[in-house]
Amino acid sequence: MNSIFNKDFWKEILESVNSNGFRTLITAFGVFWGIFILVLLLSASNGFQNGIKRQFSGMSTNTVFIWAQTITKAYKGKPKNRNYSFNVGDGEAIRENIKGLKTISPRNRLGGWGGSSIISHDMNTGSYTVEADYPEILTQRSLRIKEGRFINHSDIKDKRKIVVLGWAIINELFEKGEQVIGSYIKIQGVSFKVVGIYEDVSINGRKNIDEQKKIHVPFTTFSQIFNQGDKVRFFVITGIDDVPITDVKEDIMALIRKRHDIHPEDDRAVGNWDFNKFLQKFTQLFIALKAVSYFVGVMILGSGVIGISNIMLIVIKERTKEIGVRRALGATPSIIRKQVLLESLFLTLFAGMAGVSFAAFVTFIVNLILDSKFPEGDAMLYNPSIDLPTVGVSLLILIVCGLAAGFIPAQTAIKIKPIEALRTD
């Protein structure tokens, strides 16, 4: 019985493939190129996805920012176009009534949305944004402490006049070599002690130097010194890992509208920016990129499969007499079919895995170039790689394509009648 583990069987297949090496090489190149493009596109898609995730590393992506805006609808005898403010009680109400939340951080800021304040140290002055925070904001933003510490709950409780500075402020307010930690700066004439220096490592922080020039103070200290009372400029709210903040965002805003006598259908009164929803768009983009990669790769691979099918038909025609002799000696149609399918599968897999290997080599070179030009991983393309699922899917596609390429030639081969084949010149 002819078995796929028979040495003579595979020797016969190799002899058939090598009978016209150049023709076989040209035909196999279509499969090689198709799978190479497919794997390379998938690798680039993985690299783009890794790059985006790296840019947002350190941030709580399951987060929504909400702030008060102008009320646009009259309600309960109160006119439209009126202004209102969040307060500390709103945060407590959200914490008590909305399930699935991890962190709620109230924030205040001097000036408007992009406002700033005059800061001085000795004879040096500058205009910088001052933000009032709780310690939890450190888990929600991509802030890395370079020196000293961040705000803690003791600072909040005792309303300490301390600040954490962005590293880019140092060269503008302090002399070269001057000790920063333990020194004092003045915010609107009030002295604050510097206890830490931070770096914003988010994608926005890396591209915008102004994000490295902010000053963070304890929320309670800010409220007392700058007469803010219990006002809150905006809230940074993060959901627990298995509850998308997008799913509870409407409940949060409905609670705010109820607490401030805002019409339930006034969607403009509470501003929001949903970080989780924003990232979902990237996820959809990644899915689309992979779909396009598969489509383009499979289309190119399809042309290679057609080439292999055609060359197998030619091979069958050239070996008509040989097939007739084998049939006359007792070879069954299943044996003939199996040999043709395995020849097609062998050729497809050999060319395809060569394409995968070459794609892996190209990806390796690209990674070396990216590491040399962007040592800190700031590029949008980061660590493009060929993972095991990609190799597994590629192998499955090759097997299907190899069998498909050999199906018609195999059917043609088993239809050859021994007597007619022996008469063939």
Side-chain angles (χ1 to χ4, degrees), residues 29-262:
F29 181 77
V31 174
F32 168 88
W33 188 249
I35 203 69
F36 167 74
I37 294 297
L38 171 61
V39 174
L40 200 63
L41 287 174
L42 290 175
S43 174
S45 177
N46 287 337
F48 181 57
Q49 186 171 358
N50 293 337
I52 293 297
K53 289 181 178 179
R54 184 177 176 84
Q55 299 297 340
F56 293 121
S57 63
M59 298 184 69
S60 294
T61 56
N62 192 26
T63 297
V64 64
F65 299 77
I66 63 170
W67 59 90
Q69 299 187 144
T70 301
I71 295 172
T72 61
K73 292 185 178 183
Y75 187 61
K76 291 186 176 180
K78 298 181 180 180
K80 63 179 181 178
N81 298 325
R82 58 190 173 92
N83 296 319
Y84 75 105
S85 299
F86 290 163
N87 55 58
V88 174
D90 292 331
E92 294 299 326
I94 293 171
R95 188 175 289 107
E96 292 175 1
N97 294 280
I98 307 299
K99 305 300 181 183
L101 302 182
K102 181 192 294 184
T103 307
I104 303 173
S105 296
R107 302 193 81 185
N108 272 329
R109 177 181 289 151
L110 281 180
W113 177 253
S116 59
S117 186
I118 300 300
I119 311 299
S120 63
H121 171 69
D122 292 341
M123 301 299 293
N124 300 320
T125 61
S127 182
Y128 307 105
T129 298
V130 178
E131 294 186 326
D133 287 312
Y134 273 78
E136 287 77 11
I137 197 68
L138 199 61
T139 67
Q140 296 172 296
R141 295 281 310 277
S142 296
L143 304 180
R144 182 174 66 192
I145 300 300
K146 297 185 66 175
E147 188 177 350
R149 66 175 178 86
F150 196 65
I151 299 165
N152 59 39
H153 283 286
S154 294
D155 300 325
I156 296 293
K157 180 181 178 181
D158 298 336
K159 301 179 182 178
R160 294 171 181 168
K161 290 186 285 186
I162 58 97
V163 296
V164 180
L165 305 179
W167 65 267
I169 295 177
I170 307 305
N171 292 336
E172 298 180 4
L173 285 185
F174 295 83
E175 301 298 328
K176 186 176 181 180
E178 184 179 356
Q179 179 64 36
V180 177
I181 302 298
S183 63
Y184 288 83
I185 66 170
K186 287 187 177 182
I187 304 175
Q188 293 187 356
V190 180
S191 294
F192 286 78
K193 184 178 181 179
V194 179
V195 298
I197 301 171
Y198 80 89
E199 176 185 14
D200 189 327
V201 295
S202 68
I203 183 172
N204 191 38
R206 295 181 184 186
K207 294 183 178 181
N208 185 1
I209 190 64
D210 289 338
E211 294 298 317
Q212 314 290 355
K213 294 182 178 181
K214 293 182 178 181
I215 298 173
H216 298 264
V217 302
F219 184 89
T220 51
T221 308
F222 181 96
S223 297
Q224 182 181 61
I225 291 178
F226 300 109
N227 300 316
Q228 296 298 307
D230 66 347
K231 290 182 180 179
V232 175
R233 179 68 61 87
F234 59 99
F235 286 100
V236 185
I237 306 172
T238 301
I240 59 179
D241 294 339
D242 57 347
V243 177
I245 194 66
T246 305
D247 294 348
V248 298
K249 178 180 65 176
E250 291 302 326
D251 294 336
I252 295 172
M253 293 193 293
L255 179 61
I256 293 293
R257 286 193 288 263
K258 182 178 180 181
R259 286 179 55 83
H260 291 273
D261 293 332
I262 301 171

